[in-house]
Amino acid sequence: MEYNNNVYVCYVDYEKAFDRVDWIKLMMILQSIGVDWRDRKLIWNLDNKQVAYVRIEDGLSTACTIDRGVRQGCSLSPLLYLIYDEAMIREATDNMETGISVGGRIINTIRYAVDKALVANSQKWLQQLMNNLNKVTIEFGMKINVKKTKGNVHKP
């Protein structure tokens, strides 16, 4: 905007992001970034084969197996989610020379914790980024929350 350029932004939100993490995919990502097999096994044992019960009038329901997602309340879960999200964003934006130039670098995502914004210098390129993200999101078992995902044009 400082150089009189339009900036196209889409703020992206995922539905139940922590609950949708695919453990097998997460284990492959952790291996690819060099996490030791012993640590991966520990993480797998924390998350795999979890069961949940629902409190009902006269006691508890039968056990339900939880087959995806990171543990609620576990201090490791936010880090595992961010590693998963980073892999998704990299796959969606790798080899895309679209975005906005900041200090000579092309920036196409701005992220803070679980919030993210895709940025581009044209509506066409923003749509291409969103198409790529949507494709990768589906491959990772995530779902974009259309109601909370919003686009804006910032004009100088």
Side-chain angles (χ1 to χ4, degrees):
M1 290 170 44
E2 183 178 328
Y3 296 100
N4 292 326
N5 294 322
N6 291 340
V7 178
Y8 295 80
V9 182
C10 187
Y11 303 95
V12 179
D13 183 76
Y14 294 124
E15 285 183 13
K16 302 180 187 209
F18 279 67
D19 296 335
R20 292 182 179 269
V21 172
D22 179 314
W23 297 333
I24 294 170
K25 191 120 179 131
L26 176 61
M27 290 300 120
M28 291 187 307
I29 293 165
L30 292 174
Q31 182 178 14
S32 75
I33 63 172
V35 174
D36 184 72
W37 70 269
R38 290 177 213 90
D39 295 328
R40 291 193 317 271
K41 184 171 177 144
L42 176 69
I43 293 165
W44 177 263
N45 288 336
L46 278 172
D47 284 335
N48 193 23
K49 305 251 193 267
Q50 293 181 68
V51 292
Y53 297 89
V54 177
R55 186 173 303 279
I56 52 179
E57 272 182 21
D58 56 347
L60 296 175
S61 69
T62 57
C64 308
T65 303
I66 301 171
D67 59 0
R68 65 179 180 176
V70 290
R71 295 174 70 94
Q72 302 261 339
C74 176
S75 57
L76 191 56
S77 293
L79 177 61
L80 293 174
Y81 173 76
L82 290 174
I83 290 168
Y84 195 76
D85 186 58
E86 176 69 18
M88 268 193 309
I89 292 295
R90 284 188 181 202
E91 190 169 319
T93 60
D94 265 2
N95 303 318
M96 289 200 68
E97 292 296 320
T98 185
I100 57 171
S101 179
V102 177
R105 291 185 64 197
I106 300 295
I107 305 294
N108 52 25
T109 57
I110 300 169
R111 291 172 281 162
Y112 179 76
V114 297
D115 297 321
K116 70 185 63 37
L118 290 145
V119 294
N121 58 5
S122 73
Q123 187 174 355
K124 173 187 165 192
W125 286 114
L126 182 59
Q127 185 63 57
Q128 182 63 44
L129 279 169
M130 283 303 299
N131 291 346
N132 283 3
L133 181 63
N134 188 53
K135 178 180 162 259
V136 170
T137 295
I138 292 167
E139 291 169 8
F140 275 69
M142 302 297 269
K143 185 175 180 185
I144 294 175
N145 186 340
V146 178
K147 290 180 181 176
K148 290 185 178 180
T149 297
K150 306 216 182 299
N152 286 318
V153 180
H154 298 280
K155 296 184 178 192

